[in-house]
Amino acid sequence: MGTWATPFTDEDVSRLEALMAEPLPASRAADALYDLVGDDTLFDAIGSAVEHDPAGDVRPLVAMTLDEWTNWMHPEGFSRAAEISPAARVVPFDDGCWERLKAIAGGYEGVELASIVGVPLVPDTVEGAKATFSALWADERDVPDMEVAKTQVPGVYAVKVADGEIFRVEILYGVIAGADPRMAAELSASLFPAGTPVLTVTC
């Protein structure tokens, strides 16, 4: 099913802001989020959280999804059904909603995913992210040289390869995804600023 609900409107974002303003127990998160942030990976993670601790606060899991949407994807890459037509097409987010969603994704740095879902599939380290990226590299060429940096979002790492492409690595299920090229320059500047030490790996 992929993603079935995205908060495009001021009303939806306001509802999400209210939900994220206080702890969101795993046991009620799926119902609360279903028509706001509907995403298979998020709901799988919430299911793991319910098994680990039904009372656990899953807001960092929501932040992971919002981070992917607002920092790694471009707003023009989202489609929704227009009110005047049932056909899905690109319709802009309401004014300011994109920025508000970015803000909701922040504020969870330092949270350990293991405290929410148990042991993630991938070790929560730059070495774990590097190993996952190397294992899942789908190109027939050799695994490229890379830089790896931990982001401010729990369980999310960034990988920058020699040609400048940037990839997102989620350690929860060992998932990698390329950044939208329109977001690459901003991501590179924020995650790999000149002079900042990162793990450089030569393969």
Side-chain angles (χ1 to χ4, degrees):
M1 191 179 227
T3 297
W4 64 88
T6 307
F8 285 99
T9 67
D10 178 74
E11 179 184 355
D12 285 346
V13 175
S14 294
R15 286 174 54 207
L16 184 58
E17 286 170 334
L19 271 177
M20 296 288 282
E22 56 187 44
L24 180 58
S27 60
R28 71 176 189 88
D31 288 340
L33 294 166
Y34 189 85
D35 63 347
L36 288 174
V37 185
D39 180 84
D40 278 338
T41 302
L42 171 60
F43 275 58
D44 287 346
I46 289 170
S48 297
V50 170
E51 292 179 10
H52 180 70
D53 178 7
D57 182 9
V58 298
R59 289 179 297 172
L61 302 181
V62 180
M64 287 173 64
T65 299
L66 296 178
D67 166 67
E68 180 181 13
W69 291 355
T70 61
N71 291 313
W72 295 80
M73 299 169 73
H74 193 276
E76 293 177 4
F78 286 80
S79 299
R80 60 173 159 156
E83 292 180 7
I84 58 173
S85 167
R89 60 184 177 173
V90 174
V91 179
F93 285 79
D94 283 0
D95 288 346
C97 285
W98 190 255
E99 294 75 18
R100 288 163 64 194
L101 292 172
K102 273 192 174 197
I104 295 171
Y108 299 96
E109 188 173 11
V111 174
E112 296 292 330
L113 281 187
S115 68
I116 304 170
V117 297
V119 180
L121 182 65
V122 174
D124 195 354
T125 63
V126 289
E127 292 83 5
K130 178 261 177 187
T132 298
F133 182 83
S134 299
L136 297 177
W137 182 250
D139 199 302
E140 293 180 356
R141 299 169 296 167
D142 292 336
V143 175
D145 293 347
M146 67 186 86
E147 296 176 87
V148 182
K150 185 171 178 57
T151 73
Q152 295 181 335
V153 178
V156 178
Y157 291 79
V159 174
K160 182 178 180 181
V161 297
D163 67 2
E165 283 186 282
I166 297 181
F167 297 84
R168 186 176 191 272
V169 179
E170 281 190 13
I171 58 105
L172 185 55
Y173 299 121
V175 175
I176 67 170
D180 186 307
R182 294 169 289 187
M183 308 300 283
E186 183 179 339
L187 285 165
S188 183
S190 64
L191 295 169
F192 300 97
T196 300
V198 294
L199 175 69
T200 302
V201 182
T202 303
C203 299

